[in-house]
Amino acid sequence: MNLAKTILKSGEFFSLDFDDFYYNIKDPLKERNEIYVNNAFDTDKSHINILEFGFGLGLNFLLSLKKAKECNKTFTYTAIENYYQDINTLKDVAKKFNLDLADEFIQNYPLAQKGSYLIQINNTRLNLIFADINEALNKIDFCFDVIFADGFSPNKNSQMFSTNTIKQAKKCLKQDGILLSYSSNSAFLKALEENDFLIKKFSIGLKRESTKAILKSKDDKNLTNYFAKNYLKVQNIAIIGSGICAANLAYELRDFNVSIFEKNSTIASAASSNKIGNLSALIQNPASLLGEFSFFAYLQSSAFYKSLGIKLNGILEHAFNDELKKRFLLQKDNKYIKHIFDFAYLKDGGSIRPQELCKMLINLSKAKIFLNTYICNAKEDNNQVILTDSNDNKYYFDAVIFASGYESMYYFKSLPLSFQRGQVSYVKDEKQCKIALSSKAYLSTAANGIRALGATYLRNEIKSANDEDDLINKNNLLEFFDRKINIIDNNVGYRSYSSDRFAIVGAYLDDSEYITKYKDLFWTKNKTQEKIQQSRIFVNIAHGSRAFSTSLCCARLISSYFKNTPSYMFSTYEHALHPARFIIRKLKKGLI
């Protein structure tokens, strides 16, 4: 990713990188509206998914916001940009063209760092991807209604209009979807024709002809169709569990009829029952997929929780051993981390009250809640899922999502799950501390005069809260934070983990379905695969101790199955989270 070199030339915005103006200076808004925006919204669809090549100054997005409001439509907007604009430049653009740059956009506009970022503006989601165009397209697993190909001219920016880019564009566009561009360059049109686009050139009265290309046909086969999403039409959805994973799901699915089943007498009574906890990122090697995903999830969650009015004052992470010091050093260029000796300050982290957050989200979702109801079986039958509780009552839904924490290992025995017991100690707030701390132990900020100190971990064992674990928490804290500690209470929670540390999220099918369909994968792994059948049973589990951070983006991933919208995450993350990844790895290695 590069920093854009933008200047004003004769009062108009000019790119030094491409030696060209960002728009037709004769009538910029006419060009944007009549080539892109009006064509995109000229549809009977009430909802539109738009992909833009080159966010630039944000004009097409801002005009789309205005148009959607005028015609009472909703839309998602994904934009790929490899030249980062400073927020002040975007403010100047909005002012020049008398367009509304929402406070949400200004507050959540990302720092100049490669990656994928989500900004929510009322009911519109903008997914900004700062990366090379082909690298980004290769990681997008969604078919959009419309593509805006708007990256200067082919002579100035040949990559944007190349045959390879158009081939990738075809993968990301629905059949009969449209690609719009101000360019009618012959090489560009040839690339479109070679990829089975029907080309319609048109003029808006400015100096060049523009292009509207309609995709005539698609081939849905690809190398990873065992992870393919099958979008479902649903109305009634069940969620098993009521912790933070379930609460984020309920909120994301609030436009559907959602029912929550909780075996205990109150919601958030298991792993999410702590009075207070910390939101932070897992600081890993930035080249590792786990580290990359962790930061992506953390930033999405932080922005969302802040939008709910939750105040996050930051968290100070301590590298208390040599391995952590190496990881911190590898993150020295991360603009979201401020390094202070062996500490890393993450301004977007902080302390959160789990139970209060779960109650807030579930209340906002208006979900129906079934307390004291233990679901012991889920069976898919004839385009519905039949749930059976411990009293043999049956419930019928279009889809069911298990957000059942460590008990998921009893429902899904084929998944490589384990659980850990964690004991948190509650400390009387002797001295006010404005930021959360994390080292060998962590210490939250205060809530109602109490701070959380944790946590001890014990794998695959059930054990009551005890003084011995409180002492371990206390001693771990004293190694780096020499303060008087008065422990007044404690709490035990159990969390599930997967064997590779990623959560397990997506549509679930029994291993036998994959073994039957992909039995020859050892020999055919480099060939295109057929799609796996759809499932109406989903999982959102194994988040470990990072559910504050990872559960939100995973809820958005699952909701995309039902809304037919982007998941707002790279396909590399989706595949790393998919429940079938374990059996697919074995099939690829010929172990089955």
Side-chain angles (χ1 to χ4, degrees):
M1 189 195 75
N2 309 288
L3 297 179
K5 299 171 185 175
T6 303
I7 63 169
L8 281 175
K9 188 173 182 179
S10 302
E12 305 296 344
F13 289 91
F14 185 87
S15 170
L16 294 176
D17 300 295
F18 294 97
D19 191 30
D20 202 356
F21 288 99
Y22 280 92
Y23 43 74
N24 186 303
I25 61 175
K26 182 179 178 181
D27 197 339
L29 296 192
K30 179 178 181 180
E31 178 191 46
R32 305 285 111 188
N33 278 317
E34 295 192 16
I35 295 174
Y36 299 105
V37 179
N38 292 350
N39 275 303
F41 285 86
D42 184 19
T43 176
D44 293 334
K45 295 177 180 177
S46 60
H47 180 84
I48 308 159
N49 296 303
I50 299 172
L51 172 63
E52 181 176 37
F53 297 173
F55 188 70
L57 301 175
L59 276 175
N60 289 339
F61 172 68
L62 295 177
L63 291 168
S64 294
L65 274 176
K66 185 177 179 181
K67 184 69 174 181
K69 188 175 181 179
E70 289 171 358
C71 60
N72 196 30
K73 292 181 186 290
T74 59
F75 72 105
T76 68
Y77 202 97
T78 299
I80 302 168
E81 179 56 68
N82 203 27
Y83 288 81
Y84 176 90
Q85 295 282 0
D86 183 85
I87 187 62
N88 290 321
T89 300
L90 300 181
K91 287 180 182 179
D92 291 342
V93 170
K95 183 178 180 181
K96 174 180 173 62
F97 293 105
N98 195 29
L99 295 169
D100 179 28
L101 194 62
D103 290 341
E104 297 94 329
F105 182 92
I106 296 169
Q107 292 164 7
N108 294 296
Y109 187 70
L111 300 178
Q113 183 158 302
K114 183 179 178 181
S116 176
Y117 304 90
L118 189 65
I119 300 175
Q120 180 94 31
I121 303 173
N122 297 323
N123 60 355
T124 298
R125 283 178 172 171
L126 167 63
N127 185 196
L128 277 175
I129 300 173
F130 291 109
D132 171 81
I133 181 72
N134 292 125
E135 179 187 350
L137 286 173
N138 193 46
K139 293 180 180 179
I140 291 176
D141 185 16
F142 182 75
C143 292
F144 294 83
D145 300 299
V146 183
I147 292 177
F148 295 166
D150 184 25
F152 296 98
S153 70
N155 292 331
K156 303 282 187 179
N157 189 7
S158 58
Q159 183 190 14
M160 190 74 76
F161 300 89
S162 68
T163 300
N164 186 45
T165 300
I166 300 308
K167 186 177 179 181
Q168 294 273 42
K170 179 179 180 179
K171 175 181 73 75
C172 297
L173 190 63
K174 291 179 180 177
Q175 186 167 329
D176 297 322
I178 60 173
L179 182 147
L180 299 163
S181 179
Y182 72 90
S183 176
S184 57
N185 172 276
S186 59
F188 171 51
L189 297 183
K190 183 181 178 182
L192 288 168
E193 288 176 339
E194 288 174 351
N195 283 281
D196 211 21
F197 281 87
L198 175 65
I199 296 169
K200 295 182 179 181
K201 292 192 285 186
F202 64 98
S203 174
I204 63 169
L206 298 176
K207 65 180 182 180
R208 61 167 72 91
E209 282 189 311
S210 301
T211 299
K212 179 179 182 179
I214 303 169
L215 183 58
K216 294 188 292 184
S217 65
K218 280 182 72 74
D219 181 358
D220 286 334
K221 288 188 175 182
N222 64 51
L223 294 176
T224 58
N225 259 339
Y226 31 76
F227 295 140
K229 285 190 285 188
N230 290 290
Y231 298 100
L232 299 173
K233 289 185 177 181
V234 301
Q235 191 57 45
N236 301 302
I237 302 171
I239 299 173
I240 313 302
S242 68
I244 188 61
C245 292
N248 273 319
L249 278 166
Y251 181 83
E252 287 297 312
L253 296 169
R254 62 193 180 278
D255 293 332
F256 298 89
N257 297 326
V258 174
S259 296
I260 292 174
F261 290 86
E262 168 55 55
K263 71 168 190 172
N264 295 313
S265 58
T266 59
I267 63 171
S269 56
S272 296
S273 63
N274 288 336
K275 296 175 183 177
I276 192 165
N278 288 343
L279 169 69
S280 188
L282 182 65
I283 301 179
Q284 290 270 353
N285 184 336
S288 74
L289 191 63
L290 182 62
E292 185 183 306
F293 171 73
S294 173
F295 238 93
F296 158 82
Y298 153 75
L299 290 174
Q300 267 203 26
S301 295
S302 174
F304 174 63
Y305 297 148
K306 288 175 186 175
S307 75
L308 295 174
I310 294 172
K311 189 174 182 181
L312 296 172
N313 294 325
I315 185 167
L316 195 63
E317 293 275 356
H318 176 224
F320 61 87
N321 59 35
D322 289 341
E323 178 59 31
L324 284 174
K325 289 176 183 178
K326 289 178 185 177
R327 293 178 188 173
F328 279 34
L329 186 61
L330 290 169
Q331 290 278 5
K332 61 183 175 59
D333 296 324
N334 190 324
K335 292 179 171 56
Y336 287 92
I337 298 177
K338 183 178 181 181
H339 293 273
I340 311 165
F341 301 109
D342 290 337
F343 289 85
Y345 176 62
L346 284 71
K347 70 179 183 62
D348 297 293
S351 297
I352 294 176
R353 305 178 194 182
Q355 279 190 322
E356 287 189 14
L357 176 59
C358 290
K359 290 175 181 177
M360 178 197 300
L361 292 171
I362 291 173
N363 182 56
L364 290 170
S365 77
K366 295 182 169 54
K368 186 177 181 180
I369 304 171
F370 293 82
L371 297 174
N372 300 307
T373 306
Y374 178 71
I375 299 298
C376 53
N377 187 50
K379 181 181 179 182
E380 189 171 344
D381 181 54
N382 195 26
N383 292 328
Q384 64 179 352
V385 181
I386 305 170
L387 301 179
T388 306
D389 69 17
S390 54
N391 293 318
D392 208 32
N393 296 309
K394 297 192 183 302
Y395 311 85
Y396 300 85
F397 291 92
D398 299 321
V400 60
I401 309 163
F402 282 83
S404 40
Y406 91 97
E407 291 193 348
S408 304
M409 59 195 303
Y410 304 123
Y411 290 114
F412 304 101
K413 294 182 179 179
S414 65
L415 294 175
L417 290 167
S418 61
F419 72 90
Q420 281 192 342
R421 171 195 178 275
Q423 180 168 319
V424 171
S425 306
Y426 294 126
V427 178
K428 187 176 180 181
D429 187 32
E430 301 289 350
K431 292 186 178 180
Q432 291 290 337
C433 185
K434 293 183 179 180
I435 64 171
L437 304 170
S438 178
S439 182
K440 197 171 182 180
Y442 68 80
L443 188 65
S444 73
T445 55
N448 299 323
I450 294 173
R451 300 169 75 178
L453 166 64
T456 59
Y457 292 103
L458 187 65
R459 186 176 289 274
N460 295 330
E461 285 191 33
I462 305 292
K463 186 179 178 183
S464 300
N466 59 82
D467 294 339
E468 181 183 349
D469 281 8
D470 284 338
L471 182 60
I472 292 172
N473 283 335
K474 180 177 180 178
N475 289 336
N476 284 340
L477 180 70
L478 289 172
E479 287 187 21
F480 79 104
F481 191 67
D482 188 14
R483 291 284 182 90
K484 180 182 177 182
I485 299 170
N486 180 17
I487 296 175
I488 58 174
D489 201 358
N490 50 36
N491 188 48
V492 169
Y494 297 89
R495 296 168 174 85
S496 63
Y497 289 81
S498 73
S499 58
D500 61 8
R501 299 186 70 191
F502 275 95
I504 302 178
V505 184
Y508 174 83
L509 285 169
D510 189 78
D511 282 357
S512 60
E513 301 289 344
Y514 292 94
I515 293 170
T516 300
K517 196 169 189 70
Y518 304 110
K519 60 182 182 297
D520 298 326
L521 195 57
F522 177 71
W523 294 278
T524 65
K525 54 179 168 279
N526 294 320
K527 297 181 179 180
T528 57
Q529 306 294 328
E530 292 184 5
K531 274 189 175 183
I532 191 63
Q533 69 190 67
Q534 70 178 20
S535 173
R536 293 179 178 272
I537 297 176
F538 294 79
V539 293
N540 186 11
I541 58 177
H543 291 265
S545 60
R546 299 281 172 177
F548 268 157
S549 174
T550 56
S551 62
L552 174 65
C553 67
C554 290
R556 288 169 172 168
L557 168 58
I558 289 182
S559 71
S560 73
Y561 281 82
F562 310 136
K563 296 179 179 180
N564 198 359
T565 57
S567 65
Y568 313 107
M569 69 167 65
F570 291 142
S571 59
T572 46
Y573 302 160
E574 292 187 25
H575 298 172
L577 294 163
H578 200 284
R581 66 187 187 265
F582 307 104
I583 188 63
I584 291 298
R585 288 170 190 162
K586 289 180 180 179
L587 288 165
K588 280 185 173 181
K589 293 177 181 178
L591 299 178
I592 294 178

